[in-house]
Amino acid sequence: MERIRLGLIGAGGMANAVHYPSLAEMPDVELKALCDLDEERLRKTADRFRIAARYTNYRSMLENEQVDAVYALMPPHQLFDPVMDAIERGKHVFIEKPPAITSDQCLQMATAARSRGVHTMVAFNRRFIPVMQKAREMVTAKGDVIQVVSTFYKDYRGQPPYYRGAVDILTSDMIHAVDMLRWMAGAEVVDVVSDVQSRNASYANMFNALVRFENGCVGALLGNWNVGGRRHVFEMHADGISAYCNPDSTVEILADNGQPIVFSAKEVAGSEENRVYYGFAAENRHFVDSLKAGREPQTNFNDAHKTMQLVDLIYRNAWN
Ligand SMILES: NC(=O)c1ccc[n+]([C@@H]2O[C@H](COP(=O)([O-])OP(=O)(O)OC[C@H]3O[C@@H](n4cnc5c(N)ncnc54)[C@H](O)[C@@H]3O)[C@@H](O)[C@H]2O)c1
């Protein structure tokens, strides 16, 4: 069996919670080398996943190890150089969201990857949630998607943006909801009107937008860090059908004024594990399958750049 050899940069939270456990159970993947600046994390993670080759300098790892692809799982403001170095050495690259600090950085990464002929992927895991895929299939089977809603609410009052403010909230956190508008609508963005506010803070923490897509679909973004608690839910509508989706629990389908049909997220995924029912296992599988097939992954850097451009438009077209 062809095995994809991976060089891994980052032994932090997401690496240990979702990505490396998902990769470790794939017989066609070899976790060949691991790098982290933090020696304790490096040792613990390498021991856990039985990785022999260990580095504290990722450039040494790239020079010494024969790998097909590189995972770079670290905060977005530390990502650009490792990603560009891996691309320049001809490695395929997998990264977490957001892909970059700015859309222009993301464009540079996408351009470099295209000219070097390597495949790339950004971990927009919401697209790979099994129950979301089922909901989308049911809605699109009935007709064109005409209206979508992405909601991302949290009670993070008084909490600064992630990484001591290195990246704004819309780019680092709400980007999941922004990307899902594009995925659910299934078309390119034509126009945006929006409202961005800073409530009791020196940084923006309320993001609401209406997005018009090329196919006529209208998307609504409802994002706020000042509300009662976490709700991350989605709606998809076509003529005569609606999907109300909470991928943490259930999806409810209403069609032709009939009785609602309810699917459990865990049952559809066949697992109680968040890593599986929340799309992390499937996104890693998608990356490996894409490399084996010589195909560009769905959420490649070029596609992620379009999501970053939508983030830009939400800021640029805000009323205030
Ligand atoms: N998809 C999701 O739902 C989701 C959830 C949380 C975080 N994330 C994203 O995951 C990414 C990583 O977050 P995390 O919480 O796992 O981070 P983390 O801080 O826990 O881990 C990052 C690791 O990278 C290491 N590192 C940083 N620079 C390095 C370098 N130059 N060389 C080697 N190692 C280096 C750090 O020492 C650390 O161990 C972020 O971009 C974040 O936005 C995504």
Side-chain angles (χ1 to χ4, degrees):
M1 185 195 304
E2 187 204 346
R3 294 187 95 200
I4 301 293
R5 300 162 302 173
L6 299 180
L8 310 167
I9 310 173
M14 292 302 284
N16 273 283
V18 300
H19 297 300
Y20 301 165
S22 301
L23 294 166
E25 63 190 19
M26 296 181 199
D28 51 353
V29 165
E30 182 182 351
L31 305 183
K32 196 134 191 272
L34 175 66
C35 172
D36 201 292
L37 298 171
D38 182 313
E39 292 190 13
E40 182 63 8
R41 288 186 192 185
L42 173 64
R43 185 185 58 74
K44 278 192 179 154
T45 307
D47 285 352
R48 179 179 169 199
F49 296 101
R50 298 194 184 87
I51 303 170
R54 304 169 183 200
Y55 294 85
T56 50
N57 181 321
Y58 77 83
R59 289 196 173 108
S60 304
M61 184 181 87
L62 293 177
E63 271 158 30
N64 293 329
E65 299 292 333
Q66 295 292 315
V67 296
D68 304 301
V70 168
Y71 269 60
L73 303 174
M74 63 183 64
H77 56 296
Q78 297 164 345
L79 202 53
F80 188 77
D81 284 332
V83 166
M84 293 299 270
D85 287 339
I87 290 172
E88 280 166 15
R89 285 174 171 78
K91 309 300 177 195
H92 308 297
V93 179
F94 180 104
I95 59 175
E96 258 295 344
K97 49 51 57 178
I101 298 298
T102 64
S103 58
D104 191 58
Q105 264 193 354
C106 187
L107 180 60
Q108 301 312 319
M109 287 157 49
T111 304
R114 193 178 310 113
S115 68
R116 197 65 180 77
V118 297
H119 298 306
T120 57
M121 177 159 171
V122 178
F124 283 124
N125 64 298
R126 274 56 164 180
R127 295 196 197 188
F128 296 89
I129 292 173
V131 80
M132 290 302 300
Q133 297 201 334
K134 185 178 176 81
R136 188 167 181 257
E137 264 168 40
M138 291 183 74
V139 171
T140 53
K142 192 141 165 74
D144 296 335
V145 180
I146 55 173
Q147 186 154 329
V148 295
V149 182
S150 268
T151 303
F152 208 171
Y153 288 153
K154 288 179 175 173
D155 182 1
Y156 277 5
R157 286 168 299 163
Q159 192 170 308
Y162 295 153
Y163 310 114
R164 299 183 296 179
V167 201
D168 62 283
I169 293 167
L170 184 61
T171 304
S172 63
D173 188 44
M174 301 275 169
I175 194 163
H176 278 304
V178 174
D179 184 67
M180 284 299 275
L181 287 179
R182 291 188 53 237
W183 180 75
M184 292 189 293
E188 301 297 341
V189 172
V190 188
D191 208 354
V192 176
V193 287
S194 60
D195 183 87
V196 178
Q197 292 190 39
S198 308
R199 179 166 180 77
N200 299 327
S202 58
Y203 45 86
N205 53 19
M206 289 173 55
F207 308 91
N208 290 283
L210 277 182
V211 181
R212 170 80 75 86
F213 290 91
E214 245 170 26
N215 56 1
C217 178
V218 176
L221 172 73
L222 309 174
N224 204 319
W225 263 24
N226 298 284
V227 297
R230 187 181 187 278
R231 277 286 183 280
H232 191 25
V233 294
F234 306 91
E235 293 176 24
M236 274 176 269
H237 307 270
D239 289 329
I241 188 164
S242 298
Y244 296 93
C245 312
N246 181 347
D248 286 295
S249 56
T250 52
V251 161
E252 188 178 31
I253 306 281
L254 286 182
D256 303 318
N257 267 324
Q259 289 299 310
I261 306 169
V262 180
F263 298 102
S264 143
K266 292 175 185 173
E267 275 173 28
V268 170
S271 174
E272 294 278 317
E273 265 192 276
N274 174 269
R275 172 175 74 78
V276 179
Y277 72 76
Y278 219 63
F280 299 107
E283 68 182 349
N284 283 286
R285 191 64 246 172
H286 176 75
F287 181 62
V288 172
D289 285 342
S290 301
L291 297 192
K292 291 178 81 172
R295 267 196 318 259
E296 192 66 331
Q298 189 193 119
T299 53
N300 57 70
F301 288 177
N302 194 46
D303 187 76
H305 176 240
K306 293 179 183 170
T307 295
M308 291 289 280
Q309 284 182 308
L310 179 50
V311 166
D312 289 347
L313 274 175
I314 291 168
Y315 280 121
R316 197 174 308 143
N317 293 1
W319 289 321
N320 39 333

